[in-house]
Amino acid sequence: AVDQTSDQRREFDLAEVTTEILNMLQPTIRKSGCEVQKILCPDLACDSFPGRYGQVLTNLVMNATIHGFSPGAPGRISVRIGAVDAHTAELVVEDDGVGMADAVRARIFDPFFTTKMGRGGTGLGMNIVHGIVTRVLGGQITVHSAPGEGTRIRVVFPRVAADAAAAITTSGMRVPA
């Protein structure tokens, strides 16, 4: 059953929600051989969509475990949250893995683009993440990566979601206000 409150806008502590999501992912992360380092600024109050934020965090961490490292190779993933300023927060997910070539990085948000075609990847994960970050959370997402240098993904978003975002339904489509 899907938690019906997960798509609702509400006030929440960003570190608490981040910790809950990472705890939920821990068994899968452990199986991947990765270690997650958490750097969580406490007391960052948000009035936004914690379910959608959790979806972004989940996709970014799982992508790092699946795409960031050579098969069987252990790795480190860092999850950091903090305040950019009084009105803006950031989530940074960084790994010390294989990194991406420019051609891959340039297409990372394209729908149906995957480097794992035929091996379980749909190529929609990062496209969905981009849509949630920009349309629901009202933020921006940037990717920095180079072969052999790992990947750093930074999501910057308002701590208080815009009122227009409240018109988002669970399908992600805007409805008239």
Side-chain angles (χ1 to χ4, degrees):
V2 175
D3 177 4
Q4 295 297 316
T5 63
S6 67
D7 269 335
Q8 294 179 357
R9 179 180 181 154
R10 68 176 172 87
E11 291 183 15
F12 62 96
D13 181 283
L14 192 59
E16 287 178 12
V17 169
T18 302
T19 298
E20 290 170 9
I21 298 297
L22 292 174
N23 286 343
M24 181 187 69
L25 295 175
Q26 193 54 45
T28 305
I29 294 168
R30 195 174 307 119
K31 283 182 194 171
S32 74
C34 294
E35 170 190 331
V36 174
Q37 176 188 24
K38 297 183 284 192
I39 306 163
L40 310 179
C41 177
D43 303 320
L44 267 178
C46 292
D47 179 356
S48 189
F49 299 88
R52 293 303 183 107
Y53 165 80
Q55 190 175 357
V56 168
L57 175 59
T58 297
N59 277 345
L60 295 180
V61 171
M62 295 314 299
N63 267 8
T65 65
I66 294 166
H67 300 282
F69 305 96
S70 299
R76 183 171 314 150
I77 301 167
S78 168
V79 175
R80 186 176 77 236
I81 60 164
V84 174
D85 57 39
H87 306 287
T88 312
E90 73 174 350
L91 163 67
V92 178
V93 177
E94 190 168 8
D95 67 61
D96 63 354
V98 298
M100 289 180 251
D102 288 344
V104 171
R105 188 178 42 76
R107 296 194 58 206
I108 193 170
F109 299 120
D110 291 355
F112 305 108
F113 175 75
T114 180
T115 59
K116 301 281 187 190
M117 188 58 72
R119 293 176 283 165
T122 62
L124 290 173
M126 290 303 287
N127 178 260
I128 291 169
V129 163
H130 186 271
I132 293 170
V133 169
T134 59
R135 292 193 299 271
V136 179
L137 301 179
Q140 300 171 334
I141 184 168
T142 54
V143 178
H144 298 281
S145 187
E149 296 182 12
T151 299
R152 179 177 181 265
I153 300 177
R154 182 176 187 235
V155 177
V156 177
F157 58 98
R159 290 171 60 181
V160 177
D163 289 337
I168 303 292
T169 67
T170 57
S171 67
M173 302 298 293
R174 291 194 181 275
V175 293

